[in-house]
Amino acid sequence: MRAVLIAVVTLLTVPALAQNDSADAQPTTLAMPMPGRPSHGNPGRPPQGTSVVVDRDALMQQLSSINEKLAIATGRAKKDKQLQKLLDDARAELKETGRQVSNAPLAQQPQRPPPPPPQPTVQPISDGMLRSLVTAIRNEPFADDQLSVLGEAVSTQYFLVAQAQQLLRLFSFSSDRMKAMRLLRPRLLDLDNGFKLYEAFDYSSDKDELKRILATQTP
């Protein structure tokens, strides 16, 4: 009889798990009570506890095996009322645990993080802002001041080659136009049209320098 009691205690320590007969093999998140503690609260809901992910098909086999062993032990313990009651209680607890598992919600699959937002599209300076920039440059009497105005604009704006041509015409000397070109180069969006900028320079040496500027890689 003591051996039977040991077997019962061993079976009761196995994690009480079950599955719905019609459920598929998807994992389930369960909130299970500690072994030996009766469940309380709403009988229609599984007791609160530690959540685990289990496979219903595998646990159904384990549950069936436990139930068969308890049935055999119950049949052998008919003469021992206390042992029979213990076994009946164990089977009732096993049945209740199976009901809790069957009613447990499916585990939520981990969600992938949303894709990063698209990078903003770079746009060239608007016509209105370009006109304002041209006016601001013309209002400066000296080339150094004109270049300073242009330098402030290129820190926040991008340009097309056609717009750069308009700005280069504002400078009287080729040396100043070359300085302006160095400011504009990192902010040009359509370098495939860069050949049009050569018309702003008369000397071969300036054209060679422009070629080197256009070939410079921007960070």
Side-chain angles (χ1 to χ4, degrees), residues 127-170:
D127 292 340
M129 293 188 67
L130 180 62
R131 287 192 294 268
S132 297
L133 176 59
V134 169
T135 300
I137 292 176
R138 284 176 175 170
N139 288 337
E140 295 296 336
F142 303 107
D144 288 345
D145 296 328
Q146 292 175 334
L147 290 169
S148 295
V149 172
L150 179 60
E152 292 180 6
V154 299
S155 65
T156 57
Q157 300 296 327
Y158 289 86
F159 301 86
L160 299 175
V161 167
Q163 295 170 330
Q165 287 178 291
Q166 297 181 48
L167 296 172
L168 292 177
R169 297 190 189 106
L170 300 176

Side-chain angles (χ1 to χ4, degrees), residues 14-156:
V14 176
L17 301 169
Q19 70 171 9
N20 194 325
D21 291 340
S22 61
D24 54 21
Q26 293 182 347
T28 303
T29 298
L30 308 177
M32 302 300 299
M34 294 296 292
R37 295 183 182 178
S39 59
H40 300 286
N42 190 344
R45 297 180 57 189
Q48 297 298 317
T50 301
S51 296
V52 296
V53 177
V54 298
D55 186 285
R56 284 184 171 177
D57 286 343
L59 292 173
M60 184 58 179
Q61 296 178 0
Q62 182 181 4
L63 178 62
S64 298
S65 175
I66 295 174
N67 191 50
E68 291 176 1
K69 293 176 181 178
L70 287 175
I72 295 173
T74 301
R76 295 179 179 177
K78 291 182 179 180
K79 296 182 180 181
D80 191 325
K81 298 300 181 181
Q82 292 183 348
L83 179 58
Q84 186 174 8
K85 184 178 184 305
L86 178 63
L87 291 170
D88 289 341
D89 291 344
R91 296 184 70 185
E93 184 177 348
L94 186 63
K95 181 178 180 180
E96 172 62 17
T97 302
R99 184 192 63 79
Q100 294 175 11
V101 174
S102 297
N103 295 333
L106 294 178
Q108 294 183 355
Q109 298 298 324
Q111 296 182 353
R112 294 181 179 180
Q119 295 296 324
T121 303
V122 176
Q123 297 292 336
I125 188 172
S126 65
D127 292 340
M129 293 188 67
L130 180 62
R131 287 192 294 268
S132 297
L133 176 59
V134 169
T135 300
I137 292 176
R138 284 176 175 170
N139 288 337
E140 295 296 336
F142 303 107
D144 288 345
D145 296 328
Q146 292 175 334
L147 290 169
S148 295
V149 172
L150 179 60
E152 292 180 6
V154 299
S155 65
T156 57

